[in-house]
Tab-separated table of all heavy atoms in Angstrom:
chain	number	residue	atom	x	y	z
A	9	SER	N	13.628	-29.351	9.209
A	9	SER	CA	14.493	-28.476	9.990
A	9	SER	C	13.654	-27.460	10.765
A	9	SER	O	12.615	-27.006	10.309
A	9	SER	CB	15.483	-27.762	9.081
A	9	SER	OG	14.791	-27.003	8.131
A	14	ASP	N	12.260	-18.274	13.904
A	14	ASP	CA	10.872	-18.206	13.458
A	14	ASP	C	10.154	-17.054	14.151
A	14	ASP	O	10.421	-16.742	15.301
A	14	ASP	CB	10.138	-19.516	13.739
A	14	ASP	CG	10.509	-20.608	12.755
A	14	ASP	OD1	11.239	-20.312	11.795
A	14	ASP	OD2	10.086	-21.745	12.962
A	20	LYS	N	-5.893	-14.945	10.952
A	20	LYS	CA	-7.346	-14.860	11.080
A	20	LYS	C	-7.951	-15.160	9.719
A	20	LYS	O	-7.340	-14.902	8.691
A	20	LYS	CB	-7.782	-13.453	11.506
A	20	LYS	CG	-7.395	-13.067	12.916
A	20	LYS	CD	-7.965	-11.708	13.251
A	20	LYS	CE	-7.629	-11.277	14.659
A	20	LYS	NZ	-8.214	-9.963	14.965
A	21	ASN	N	-9.176	-15.699	9.723
A	21	ASN	CA	-9.883	-15.914	8.465
A	21	ASN	C	-10.515	-14.600	8.027
A	21	ASN	O	-11.178	-13.931	8.815
A	21	ASN	CB	-10.972	-16.977	8.622
A	21	ASN	CG	-10.411	-18.371	8.589
A	21	ASN	OD1	-9.200	-18.566	8.522
A	21	ASN	ND2	-11.279	-19.356	8.635
A	22	HIS	N	-10.294	-14.233	6.769
A	22	HIS	CA	-10.897	-13.035	6.202
A	22	HIS	C	-12.169	-13.448	5.476
A	22	HIS	O	-12.123	-14.239	4.548
A	22	HIS	CB	-9.916	-12.360	5.229
A	22	HIS	CG	-10.456	-11.122	4.613
A	22	HIS	ND1	-10.684	-11.015	3.276
A	22	HIS	CD2	-10.821	-9.945	5.166
A	22	HIS	CE1	-11.174	-9.811	3.017
A	22	HIS	NE2	-11.267	-9.140	4.146
A	28	GLY	N	-14.174	-17.478	3.123
A	28	GLY	CA	-13.037	-17.012	3.902
A	28	GLY	C	-11.764	-17.804	3.667
A	28	GLY	O	-11.806	-18.998	3.390
A	41	HIS	N	-7.356	-3.992	9.497
A	41	HIS	CA	-6.190	-4.868	9.562
A	41	HIS	C	-5.487	-4.804	8.216
A	41	HIS	O	-6.130	-4.752	7.172
A	41	HIS	CB	-6.602	-6.333	9.786
A	41	HIS	CG	-6.862	-6.702	11.204
A	41	HIS	ND1	-6.060	-6.327	12.251
A	41	HIS	CD2	-7.842	-7.453	11.756
A	41	HIS	CE1	-6.529	-6.831	13.377
A	41	HIS	NE2	-7.635	-7.509	13.104
A	49	LYS	N	-2.319	-22.999	-3.368
A	49	LYS	CA	-2.147	-23.039	-4.822
A	49	LYS	C	-0.941	-22.191	-5.247
A	49	LYS	O	-0.776	-21.070	-4.767
A	49	LYS	CB	-3.411	-22.534	-5.509
A	49	LYS	CG	-4.600	-23.438	-5.253
A	49	LYS	CD	-5.809	-22.976	-6.029
A	49	LYS	CE	-6.933	-23.976	-5.946
A	49	LYS	NZ	-7.542	-24.075	-4.656
A	53	GLY	N	-5.284	-17.387	-10.729
A	53	GLY	CA	-5.679	-17.113	-12.104
A	53	GLY	C	-4.801	-17.883	-13.076
A	53	GLY	O	-4.374	-18.998	-12.801
A	56	ALA	N	-0.530	-15.333	-12.513
A	56	ALA	CA	-0.030	-14.645	-11.323
A	56	ALA	C	0.494	-15.673	-10.325
A	56	ALA	O	-0.275	-16.420	-9.732
A	56	ALA	CB	-1.133	-13.810	-10.699
A	59	TYR	N	3.797	-16.369	-3.816
A	59	TYR	CA	5.102	-16.499	-3.175
A	59	TYR	C	5.138	-17.806	-2.373
A	59	TYR	O	4.319	-18.022	-1.485
A	59	TYR	CB	5.329	-15.293	-2.249
A	59	TYR	CG	6.634	-15.309	-1.515
A	59	TYR	CD1	7.795	-14.857	-2.129
A	59	TYR	CD2	6.704	-15.781	-0.206
A	59	TYR	CE1	8.997	-14.867	-1.448
A	59	TYR	CE2	7.905	-15.794	0.473
A	59	TYR	CZ	9.047	-15.337	-0.151
A	59	TYR	OH	10.241	-15.357	0.523
A	64	SER	N	4.671	-23.990	6.193
A	64	SER	CA	3.311	-23.510	6.388
A	64	SER	C	3.164	-22.819	7.742
A	64	SER	O	3.492	-23.396	8.776
A	64	SER	CB	2.329	-24.681	6.310
A	64	SER	OG	1.038	-24.242	6.658
A	70	LYS	N	1.261	-28.918	4.940
A	70	LYS	CA	0.991	-28.717	3.517
A	70	LYS	C	1.940	-27.650	2.963
A	70	LYS	O	2.450	-26.814	3.701
A	70	LYS	CB	-0.446	-28.241	3.302
A	70	LYS	CG	-1.499	-29.250	3.682
A	70	LYS	CD	-2.876	-28.675	3.446
A	70	LYS	CE	-3.953	-29.645	3.879
A	70	LYS	NZ	-5.284	-29.044	3.770
A	72	SER	N	2.560	-24.282	1.448
A	72	SER	CA	1.773	-23.054	1.494
A	72	SER	C	2.391	-21.970	0.631
A	72	SER	O	3.604	-21.931	0.428
A	72	SER	CB	1.665	-22.539	2.924
A	72	SER	OG	0.828	-23.360	3.670
A	77	GLN	N	-0.359	-9.800	-3.142
A	77	GLN	CA	-1.066	-8.544	-2.933
A	77	GLN	C	-1.672	-8.532	-1.531
A	77	GLN	O	-2.417	-9.432	-1.161
A	77	GLN	CB	-2.162	-8.386	-3.976
A	77	GLN	CG	-2.820	-7.038	-3.948
A	77	GLN	CD	-3.722	-6.848	-5.158
A	77	GLN	OE1	-3.801	-7.696	-6.024
A	77	GLN	NE2	-4.409	-5.716	-5.198
A	83	LYS	N	-11.598	-4.526	10.571
A	83	LYS	CA	-11.328	-5.592	11.548
A	83	LYS	C	-12.507	-6.532	11.718
A	83	LYS	O	-12.335	-7.709	11.988
A	83	LYS	CB	-10.938	-4.986	12.895
A	83	LYS	CG	-9.598	-4.305	12.879
A	83	LYS	CD	-9.257	-3.738	14.243
A	83	LYS	CE	-7.914	-3.045	14.203
A	83	LYS	NZ	-7.552	-2.482	15.509
A	87	GLU	N	-12.160	-13.183	11.397
A	87	GLU	CA	-12.691	-14.031	12.471
A	87	GLU	C	-11.731	-15.188	12.731
A	87	GLU	O	-10.788	-15.408	11.985
A	87	GLU	CB	-14.078	-14.553	12.088
A	87	GLU	CG	-14.081	-15.372	10.815
A	87	GLU	CD	-15.476	-15.720	10.322
A	87	GLU	OE1	-16.457	-15.195	10.852
A	87	GLU	OE2	-15.559	-16.536	9.392
A	89	PRO	N	-9.327	-16.010	15.246
A	89	PRO	CA	-7.895	-15.750	15.422
A	89	PRO	C	-7.155	-16.971	15.977
A	89	PRO	O	-7.680	-17.719	16.798
A	89	PRO	CB	-7.860	-14.592	16.416
A	89	PRO	CG	-9.157	-14.644	17.118
A	89	PRO	CD	-10.146	-15.257	16.172
A	92	GLY	N	0.455	-18.749	14.583
A	92	GLY	CA	1.271	-19.619	13.750
A	92	GLY	C	2.686	-19.076	13.731
A	92	GLY	O	2.993	-18.065	14.370
A	93	THR	N	3.567	-19.738	13.004
A	93	THR	CA	4.946	-19.272	12.905
A	93	THR	C	5.378	-19.231	11.447
A	93	THR	O	4.938	-20.041	10.631
A	93	THR	CB	5.915	-20.182	13.680
A	93	THR	OG1	5.775	-21.522	13.188
A	93	THR	CG2	5.648	-20.139	15.167
A	96	SER	N	11.767	-15.992	9.338
A	96	SER	CA	11.994	-14.545	9.312
A	96	SER	C	12.061	-14.027	7.872
A	96	SER	O	11.629	-12.916	7.589
A	96	SER	CB	13.255	-14.185	10.094
A	96	SER	OG	14.348	-14.944	9.655
A	98	ASP	N	10.353	-15.249	5.233
A	98	ASP	CA	8.973	-15.177	4.740
A	98	ASP	C	8.228	-14.005	5.376
A	98	ASP	O	7.455	-13.317	4.716
A	98	ASP	CB	8.224	-16.478	5.023
A	98	ASP	CG	8.712	-17.637	4.164
A	98	ASP	OD1	9.383	-17.390	3.145
A	98	ASP	OD2	8.407	-18.789	4.526
A	104	VAL	N	6.675	-6.607	3.276
A	104	VAL	CA	6.779	-5.836	2.032
A	104	VAL	C	5.408	-5.746	1.362
A	104	VAL	O	4.964	-4.658	0.969
A	104	VAL	CB	7.816	-6.469	1.076
A	104	VAL	CG1	7.734	-5.857	-0.311
A	104	VAL	CG2	9.216	-6.334	1.646
Side-chain angles (χ1 to χ4, degrees):
S9 59
D14 284 354
K20 291 184 179 181
N21 281 4
H22 180 244
H41 277 316
K49 295 184 172 70
Y59 179 83
S64 173
K70 295 179 183 175
S72 288
Q77 188 170 357
K83 291 181 181 180
E87 60 188 9
T93 56
S96 52
D98 289 343
V104 168

